[in-house]
Amino acid sequence: MEFLAFAKQQCAQQQAASAEQHLLAQFQRQPQPPSADFGLALALCNLHLDRLDQAQACLDRVLLDHGDSVELLQLALACERRRNEGSCSPALRQRLQAFLADQTIALEWLQLLQANLDLNAVINWAQHLLSEWPQHPAVLHALRNLAWDLHDSSLMAQLPAPSSLLWQGRCQLLQGDYQAAESSLRSCLMPGSLPPDEQLQALHSLIFQLLPAQVESLLEPHLPQLAACPNWAWTFGRALLAAGAWRQGWQLYEQRYYSLDRAQIIPPGLPLLGLERLQSQMAIKGSAVLLYGEQGIGDTLMFASMLPDLEADLNGSAGSLQLLLPPRLVPLMGACFPHLPVAASYPDSLLPSLDVACSIGSLGLLYRPDQSSFAGLKPHLNLPAELVEPWRQRLADLGPGLKIGIAWQGGGTLANRMQRSLALEQLLPILQQPGCHWLNLQYGHNPAELAAIEQNHGIKVHHFAGTGSDLLATAGLTAALDLVITVQQTALHIAAGLGIPTWGLLPYRAEWRYGLSGPHMAWYQSVRLFRLQQRGNWAGLIETVAQRLAQQNGPIPSSFDGNCS
């Protein structure tokens, strides 16, 4: 067996360490320089072991000795994605362009365009793939997945009619034939009807698109399959959390550490230690704990609402707590938790003294195991007055009226951004309400969009330099506002964490943290949710929010009674 084929087989069986040992034992028998196949095999083992520097060194040596190849480029992409959470360097992009006639690299290019969030480029390249390889199974599979992710029925219609019952059900979903889709997807779940992974895909479509409230009963027969499928375990864990099945949801959620998305969960090269101590409040006492930020900024801010619970268990028991966070988040969290060490890096000498090193979401199983554990939550982001008062003065200078912050575009993948984002002009029914001053909270906003809304409609959306990108400045401004109106994104978590009244505009099938129904969000007391009832029909929801704003008399309450009419 060739070295790379051997390494792929062993890594698929979670045997990367033993595969590396076997390869190194063969090293002395290798010609000098070693063959490209041998170097790529070593790189793959190091990649699976999260030793990214060693993996990159192997790849660089292969490139120097043997030149580029499809296999080398695939591993180089995997290494960069692991290190940089999906991004790709300009140098590697240039190397890839020389291989775009290869179907494998052409499909990798499609993924890069999606990561670059360029919808037009994605659709154009999809059309190119379809014209170049109209019958290639891998191309058709990738384009079906793209059409499904983007909910693009037009692209799906250009592809050959699928023979798979799974894809028939998904096509029926895109066409709005929900009864037929449910029947097709339920048929996929019959024992022996499909391979196990395709059954789980069908289950995912059924739960996430049609029957989210039935997740527990639908998932129960398939739980044994999830033990060996961390990607699916984490996915369905989030579905359980959305439905309020907190304890079981958190148990599956913990499998994220072993998923393909682990680069978003735990920093490469850093340890995962002591999860067993998070099984009980007694076990965590006296522990030296290091928590990593995970996933997006909003996720970390929301999970930070559990820090007071952890601190209460550590205080008085000789325990300690430190936070390792993305650099952009360090100033804000340092200001809100001045008594805690908060940094973007720590010396390696810290690691031997730790009892627990894990990502912040792992506190959920201990501190949010059921609905009652969310009762009485208070704002957990508390800024010093000297960071807020200057903003109050700047807002007072705008004159009388409500000071309302807005954010209209969400982050994440291309599909997620399309689902949760708006154009600023779509908010006109809200922005045209009298007696309001509008403040920009949008990260990465387009100044031309603010200029256009003022020029075309006479609506001034004030932007203060630094806000949006500087989270501490954004939080200072937010703390001085009367209300925040935002799509699901970081602005919501900052405002809600500060206890500021927040109205969240949610897409059809929102993320798990917002639950499945109703105006309340378990994690925050000051959030009122407005849910899209039909995919893409934002106009009706925005009109509802505008009417709600028009009905406001006096200060906006910072907690709600559930009446969202």
Side-chain angles (χ1 to χ4, degrees):
M1 181 182 295
E2 294 180 347
F3 292 118
L4 183 56
F6 165 77
K8 287 179 178 178
Q9 181 188 72
Q10 294 299 301
C11 290
Q13 299 172 5
Q14 308 300 317
Q15 299 296 320
S18 60
E20 183 195 34
Q21 291 176 0
H22 174 81
L23 290 169
L24 292 176
Q26 303 292 318
F27 181 77
Q28 295 302 327
R29 305 175 191 172
Q30 278 290 299
Q32 295 300 318
S35 68
D37 186 63
F38 184 85
L40 294 175
L42 270 181
L44 179 63
C45 292
N46 278 291
L47 183 61
H48 275 261
L49 294 168
D50 282 337
R51 298 201 297 251
L52 303 186
D53 289 340
Q54 291 94 319
Q56 189 61 57
C58 292
L59 296 174
D60 291 343
R61 179 62 186 269
V62 172
L63 178 62
L64 179 66
D65 292 338
H66 303 283
D68 248 335
S69 66
V70 169
E71 293 82 3
L72 172 56
L73 287 168
Q74 284 185 289
L75 282 174
L77 267 172
C79 193
E80 288 212 6
R81 285 170 176 153
R82 179 75 178 94
R83 189 190 302 275
N84 300 317
E85 299 184 7
S87 64
C88 176
S89 69
L92 182 52
R93 281 178 174 269
Q94 188 172 5
R95 288 166 56 195
L96 288 165
Q97 288 179 315
F99 284 79
L100 288 180
D102 180 271
Q103 169 263 323
T104 302
I105 297 302
L107 289 177
E108 294 281 10
W109 192 255
L110 180 65
Q111 290 189 45
L112 288 175
L113 292 175
Q114 291 179 71
N116 203 40
L117 308 175
D118 188 338
L119 178 61
N120 289 334
V122 168
I123 296 301
N124 289 338
W125 191 250
Q127 297 295 338
H128 169 76
L129 292 172
L130 188 57
S131 66
E132 289 291 316
W133 296 282
Q135 301 298 326
H136 196 290
V139 170
L140 294 178
H141 180 72
L143 294 183
R144 283 198 182 98
N145 279 320
L146 175 65
W148 174 245
D149 288 343
L150 300 181
H151 297 279
D152 188 336
S153 56
S154 174
L155 175 59
M156 189 71 82
Q158 296 178 53
L159 304 174
S163 58
S164 162
L165 193 58
L166 165 65
W167 280 105
Q168 289 176 20
R170 286 180 166 179
C171 288
Q172 289 160 345
L173 268 172
L174 289 183
Q175 294 160 3
D177 191 348
Y178 301 122
Q179 186 174 357
E182 181 179 344
S183 176
S184 296
L185 294 171
R186 283 188 180 275
S187 296
C188 294
L189 304 183
M190 299 296 292
S193 61
L194 288 175
D197 188 69
E198 289 189 35
Q199 280 199 327
L200 292 176
Q201 290 182 52
L203 183 63
H204 177 272
S205 298
L206 190 62
I207 289 173
F208 280 80
Q209 300 299 325
L210 286 174
L211 304 170
Q214 298 182 30
V215 57
E216 291 179 86
S217 60
L218 288 169
L219 187 58
E220 199 266 338
H222 301 274
L223 287 174
Q225 289 177 256
L226 301 184
C229 303
N231 295 307
W232 284 118
W234 180 34
T235 296
F236 289 119
R238 285 173 282 180
L240 288 164
L241 293 172
W246 297 102
R247 193 178 301 276
Q248 186 180 20
W250 288 125
Q251 290 169 347
L252 293 181
Y253 194 81
E254 287 300 274
Q255 293 300 307
R256 70 199 188 286
Y257 288 116
Y258 313 104
S259 73
L260 293 176
D261 293 321
R262 63 188 182 277
Q264 303 174 29
I265 310 302
I266 188 167
L270 289 177
L272 177 63
L273 301 171
L275 287 179
E276 69 280 358
R277 295 198 179 210
L278 292 174
Q279 300 302 307
S280 74
Q281 290 174 271
M282 184 61 67
I284 197 64
K285 289 184 182 297
S287 299
V289 180
L290 175 65
L291 293 179
Y292 310 127
E294 64 171 283
Q295 302 175 66
I297 297 292
D299 301 83
T300 298
L301 288 173
M302 183 185 77
F303 289 140
S305 63
M306 296 182 282
L307 291 179
D309 302 82
L310 176 60
E311 287 187 274
D313 283 335
L314 294 177
N315 289 343
S317 65
S320 64
L321 173 60
Q322 301 178 74
L323 305 179
L324 180 64
L325 303 177
R328 188 165 165 247
L329 193 48
V330 169
L332 172 58
M333 290 293 284
C336 292
F337 296 91
H339 53 289
L340 291 179
V342 180
S345 64
Y346 284 104
D348 291 342
S349 58
L350 170 69
L351 299 180
S353 66
L354 297 173
D355 300 303
V356 178
C358 67
S359 298
I360 193 169
S362 290
L363 300 178
L365 186 58
L366 179 57
Y367 295 116
R368 300 292 182 267
D370 50 44
Q371 194 64 38
S372 65
S373 60
F374 289 88
L377 292 182
K378 294 180 171 56
H380 62 283
L381 300 180
N382 299 292
L383 285 175
E386 60 267 22
L387 295 179
V388 180
E389 288 307 318
W391 288 107
R392 293 195 193 281
Q393 183 57 54
R394 295 178 81 170
L395 296 184
D397 292 344
L398 299 178
L402 293 173
K403 312 304 191 296
I404 305 176
I406 55 169
W408 56 96
Q409 293 180 339
T413 65
L414 177 61
N416 286 340
R417 288 184 180 227
M418 289 178 60
Q419 182 186 18
R420 69 175 72 172
S421 296
L422 299 166
L424 180 58
E425 189 149 321
Q426 287 179 267
L427 296 178
L428 267 179
I430 298 173
L431 299 175
Q432 288 172 333
Q433 296 302 309
C436 302
H437 298 278
W438 301 100
L439 288 303
N440 176 35
L441 299 177
Q442 180 62 50
Y443 173 61
H445 77 284
N446 181 358
E449 203 170 9
L450 301 189
I453 204 82
E454 183 173 14
Q455 180 178 347
N456 297 335
H457 303 283
I459 297 169
K460 176 70 173 178
V461 178
H462 300 275
H463 175 70
F464 295 110
T467 56
S469 57
D470 183 326
L471 292 177
L472 183 56
T474 303
L477 169 60
T478 302
L481 295 172
D482 299 303
L483 173 67
V484 168
I485 300 176
T486 176
V487 297
Q488 57 176 41
Q489 61 125 281
T490 298
L492 184 146
H493 296 284
I494 291 176
L498 291 164
I500 300 303
T502 306
W503 293 0
L505 314 184
L506 300 189
Y508 185 74
R509 300 289 184 251
E511 290 187 356
W512 68 267
R513 69 196 82 248
Y514 300 98
L516 298 180
S517 61
H520 285 296
M521 185 176 181
W523 293 88
Y524 305 114
Q525 299 296 308
S526 65
V527 173
R528 180 193 296 278
L529 301 175
F530 295 82
R531 298 177 184 272
L532 198 63
Q533 299 303 313
Q534 182 180 4
R535 191 182 303 279
N537 183 24
W538 285 102
L541 182 143
I542 289 168
E543 188 59 42
T544 297
V545 175
Q547 292 172 6
R548 187 73 188 187
L549 184 59
Q551 295 167 4
Q552 287 300 143
N553 293 311
I556 297 172
S558 59
S559 62
F560 303 116
D561 59 10
N563 178 16
C564 211
S565 60

